[in-house]
Amino acid sequence: MGIQDRLIEDVGLREGVSRLTEDKIQKTVNAVIQGETGARLKAYAEICLRCGMCTEACHFYLSHDQDPSYAPAAKVKQTIGTLLANSGRVSPDQIYNMAQIAYSECNLCRRCVHFCPVGVDTAYMMITMRRICHKLGVTPQYIQDTAHSHSATFNQMWVKDDEWTDTLQWQEDEARDEFPDLRIPLDKEGADVYYSVIAPEPKFRTQLIYQAAAILHTAKIDWTMPAEPGWDNSDMCMFTGDFEMMGRLKRKHFESAQKLKVKRIVMGECGHAFRSVYDVGNRWAGWKHYPVPVVHSVEFFWELLTQGKIKLVSKYPGPVTLQDPCNIVRGRGLGDKLREVIRILVDGEIVETASNREHNLCCSAGGGVINCGPPFKNARVAACKAKADQLRATGVKTIIAPCHNCHGGLDDTVHKYELGMEIKFLGDIIYQCMERPET
Ligand code: SF4
Ligand code: SF4
């Protein structure tokens, strides 16, 4: 089976390719390859041994009856490899096929890199393909809408400025029934912690803001949230290939923290946002290191729990399993700290999935794939079969996943494969089990 046998109709891709000519494609491809990729792409393209050791690493291959067209090296061959072999001259229909592979058949999870004897980074090849597609105006409609929203409003969910502060105030009011002197301090200059979230939190996961406020309050942290744009740390532009906009968004995020002269940024439980802030966006914006220290909430919760700032009145009943988010475990090495946090919180065993830590299988939602929306949903969930098999084999009923994307992907997976499991953020468990301050 090849890509032509599984094409999915998407209006963004279809409209995009309708405006292309072979001349335009060639000019754009060569501009990106010659102007932006340097030796890295050339090296990866030339050193691939065609050994196939990356093949079994990819959950798309594993979940599709070992269809070789889903192997990482095959995806490269069908996309960037074909462009290089043809000096960038291909047809608009070929670009459609390549865009579908790059946007919806690779989660940019980088598991395959760990299996390659010469270190070929297939995710880099796929993001370069997306970059070309972005320059050609060929992107899936749903993720492009999200990127547009972020570029127009500085948050990906089109949350208006007054809705943002209203939502924070609403959560503060709600929380004060339980914690009478709790505040969500806005624009507090010089605070120790600037807490940032992704836009779905104020839009439809407000309980996470409530829980974070409760935890920060209980731990007596000197913290703040910004009243103005810059608070959304997510970044679909990183995944569409719109790197100029990605850099602008990351600059806004850091500038918002710098303006408040905070000591550090603590990010909520999201993986891709963390990748965009600590690794990809800051480099594109020209900072060798990010200008304000950044920690993911896994590290932050680890500090609170090991330093006794949060104490527990009970433990969450185990056993549990966990989802290692690619961007914070494979990408940042937080696997040990994540397990230490879970061991503190849970009464019972951590039952590991067969592939874990840096070898974890992706949730199939990452890399912007879930954001490509309904047209690609069934294909995305089909790619999670290997993950579903591993989850079922743990025999437990609770998955802990400190990442929004993982939650989205695993929700669909648990439903589709009838796993009967529930999925928890660390914040859910800490909030449930922590000792409340005396009033
Ligand atoms: S980065 Fe992940 S999804 Fe993409 S080819 Fe490699 S293993 Fe597969
Ligand atoms: S493991 Fe590396 S060298 Fe071997 S086929 Fe895959 S990308 Fe090429």
Side-chain angles (χ1 to χ4, degrees):
M1 196 172 176
I3 181 65
Q4 64 285 351
D5 303 313
R6 55 174 183 264
L7 281 182
I8 291 169
E9 203 50 38
D10 177 89
V11 67
L13 299 182
R14 186 59 67 201
E15 288 288 318
V17 297
S18 73
R19 293 187 286 266
L20 297 181
T21 62
E22 290 196 1
D23 282 346
K24 182 176 177 184
I25 294 168
Q26 186 168 33
K27 205 170 147 200
T28 305
V29 170
N30 290 335
V32 172
I33 288 177
Q34 287 160 20
E36 298 185 21
T37 61
R40 191 175 174 192
L41 184 81
K42 191 169 187 314
Y44 287 155
E46 290 181 2
I47 62 174
C48 175
L49 307 163
R50 311 281 185 268
C51 66
M53 289 183 70
C54 55
T55 304
E56 300 259 346
C58 185
H59 52 284
F60 280 89
Y61 171 84
L62 297 174
S63 299
H64 286 95
D65 298 326
Q66 305 190 333
D67 179 338
S69 68
Y70 285 104
K75 288 186 245 201
V76 171
K77 186 165 182 243
Q78 295 170 87
T79 55
I80 286 283
T82 302
L83 294 178
L84 291 173
N86 292 283
S87 305
R89 196 163 188 87
V90 297
S91 71
D93 283 346
Q94 283 175 288
I95 290 293
Y96 193 111
N97 301 357
M98 292 175 188
Q100 179 170 321
I101 293 170
Y103 283 111
S104 75
E105 296 182 4
C106 175
N107 291 104
L108 311 180
C109 75
R110 305 180 84 188
R111 184 172 195 255
C112 49
V113 184
H114 284 252
F115 291 77
C116 175
V118 290
V120 172
D121 184 348
T122 298
Y124 171 74
M125 311 288 258
M126 290 299 117
I127 194 70
T128 304
M129 186 68 229
R130 293 189 191 187
R131 173 70 171 162
I132 290 167
C133 290
H134 161 72
K135 289 282 196 180
L136 290 169
V138 180
T139 45
Q141 185 190 34
Y142 276 81
I143 191 170
Q144 188 58 59
D145 276 355
T146 308
H148 279 153
S149 169
H150 213 153
S151 63
T153 66
F154 279 119
N155 74 81
Q156 61 157 276
M157 290 275 152
W158 211 279
V159 177
K160 292 180 188 156
D161 291 356
D162 59 338
E163 289 173 343
W164 164 245
T165 47
D166 276 358
T167 302
L168 296 183
Q169 203 163 20
W170 166 41
Q171 290 311 301
E172 181 182 275
D173 286 346
E174 293 278 315
R176 286 173 79 165
D177 284 346
E178 192 179 3
F179 305 92
D181 53 349
L182 181 147
R183 297 299 313 271
I184 296 184
L186 295 183
D187 279 351
K188 184 176 179 207
E189 246 188 57
D192 288 341
V193 165
Y194 168 112
Y195 187 67
S196 68
V197 298
I198 68 171
E201 294 200 20
K203 197 75 177 181
F204 54 81
R205 277 193 154 150
T206 47
Q207 88 279 6
L208 295 178
I209 294 176
Y210 179 110
Q211 289 174 182
I215 293 166
L216 287 153
H217 169 77
T218 301
K220 296 188 170 56
I221 300 297
D222 174 25
W223 70 295
T224 190
M225 294 182 90
E228 292 178 358
W231 52 266
D232 180 4
N233 54 32
S234 71
D235 209 322
M236 279 309 116
C237 295
M238 171 174 73
F239 289 147
T240 60
D242 185 352
F243 297 157
E244 290 82 0
M245 192 55 65
M246 168 188 71
R248 178 170 167 252
L249 299 176
K250 294 308 95 166
R251 185 172 290 281
K252 186 76 175 170
H253 183 56
F254 279 120
E255 284 176 352
S256 140
Q258 285 174 305
K259 190 174 151 199
L260 295 176
K261 302 184 180 65
V262 295
K263 303 214 174 39
R264 60 177 175 164
I265 297 169
V266 173
M267 301 182 60
E269 294 183 62
C270 183
H272 97 273
F274 190 66
R275 179 182 187 160
S276 78
V277 171
Y278 99 94
D279 185 15
V280 184
N282 61 302
R283 293 185 213 283
W284 178 268
W287 286 301
K288 192 171 176 186
H289 295 295
Y290 25 77
V292 180
V294 176
V295 293
H296 187 272
S297 40
V298 165
E299 293 169 279
F300 185 62
F301 291 151
W302 180 86
E303 286 175 24
L304 298 183
L305 290 161
T306 56
Q307 292 171 6
K309 290 181 177 162
I310 290 287
K311 296 186 177 68
L312 306 178
V313 287
S314 62
K315 287 202 168 200
Y316 189 80
V320 300
T321 188
L322 74 158
Q323 165 71 9
D324 288 287
C326 306
N327 290 317
I328 65 163
V329 171
R330 195 151 38 245
R332 180 65 161 180
L334 293 182
D336 285 341
K337 277 200 170 133
L338 173 56
R339 283 161 177 77
E340 283 182 49
V341 169
I342 294 173
R343 272 194 285 273
I344 293 169
L345 294 173
V346 171
D347 180 17
E349 197 188 344
I350 300 174
V351 184
E352 299 277 2
T353 49
S355 308
N356 55 63
R357 297 176 185 259
E358 70 272 20
H359 294 119
N360 176 57
L361 291 179
C362 176
C363 61
S364 295
V369 174
I370 195 170
N371 307 80
C372 291
F376 301 95
K377 180 177 176 184
N378 289 342
R380 168 173 60 81
V381 179
C384 221
K385 182 178 176 302
K387 170 109 257 167
D389 290 344
Q390 289 195 352
L391 288 169
R392 187 183 289 107
T394 65
V396 308
K397 293 294 169 203
T398 305
I399 310 166
I400 296 177
C403 171
H404 278 276
N405 262 340
C406 294
H407 271 249
L410 293 174
D411 269 344
D412 291 334
T413 303
V414 165
H415 178 72
K416 160 83 179 169
Y417 297 96
E418 299 178 356
L419 299 180
M421 302 170 90
E422 63 174 351
I423 309 157
K424 293 280 186 190
F425 285 102
L426 290 173
D428 295 329
I429 296 176
I430 295 173
Y431 169 75
Q432 180 180 328
C433 299
M434 71 184 182
E435 186 179 285
R436 268 54 176 166
E438 284 182 17
T439 54

